Amino acid sequence: MSEETMSEFNRTKGKMVDDFKAIVTDADDLLQATAKVSGEGFNVARAKFAERLKSAKTSLAEAERHAVDKAKQAATAADDYVKGNPWTAVGIAAGIGVLIGFLVAKR
C-alpha cells in the first residue's frame, strides 16, 4: 500500500471513528437528559437503549482496535517488501513519477 493510500485510509478511518464517537456521545447525553422523565414504558425503553449504547461503545472500541491492528500490519508488510526489494520499489516509484509527469505535462 502506498504512503498516500495509507494516509487517505488513516484519515478516513479517523473521521469515521470520530463520527461514531460523536454519535455515541450524543446518545449518552440524550440518555442522561431523559433520566428524570418517568413512566413505566419510558423506563423500559431507556434501559434497553442504555444497554444498546453500552454494546455500541464496546463494538466501536473493538472495531477501532481491529482497524489499527490491520493498518499496522499493512504498513509493516509494505515496509518489509520495500526493504526486501529496494530496486523494485525505486523502479515502481520512478515509473509512477514519470506517468504523473507525463499526465501533468499533457495538460
Side-chain angles (χ1 to χ4, degrees):
M1 208 180 285
S2 73
E3 185 175 321
E4 183 179 325
T5 304
M6 283 298 295
S7 176
E8 178 67 22
F9 171 76
N10 287 332
R11 188 166 24 101
T12 303
K13 176 187 60 98
K15 183 175 177 357
M16 184 179 73
V17 167
D18 290 344
D19 289 347
F20 279 125
K21 284 182 180 179
I23 290 169
V24 168
T25 300
D26 290 346
D28 200 24
D29 291 344
L30 178 63
L31 189 62
Q32 295 300 321
T34 61
K36 294 180 182 174
V37 177
S38 62
E40 183 62 31
F42 197 74
N43 288 337
V44 170
R46 186 173 43 245
K48 188 175 182 181
F49 182 70
E51 184 60 36
R52 286 187 180 170
L53 182 59
K54 181 180 175 183
S55 175
K57 287 179 181 179
T58 303
S59 295
L60 179 61
E62 180 65 25
E64 184 177 8
R65 186 189 58 75
H66 183 69
V68 168
D69 289 346
K70 287 294 184 184
K72 286 180 182 178
Q73 288 174 357
T76 301
D79 188 50
D80 290 344
Y81 178 79
V82 169
K83 286 179 180 176
N85 304 296
W87 289 111
T88 303
V90 168
I92 291 171
I96 291 172
V98 168
L99 179 63
I100 290 172
F102 177 73
L103 293 174
V104 169
K106 209 171 183 185
R107 289 185 173 202

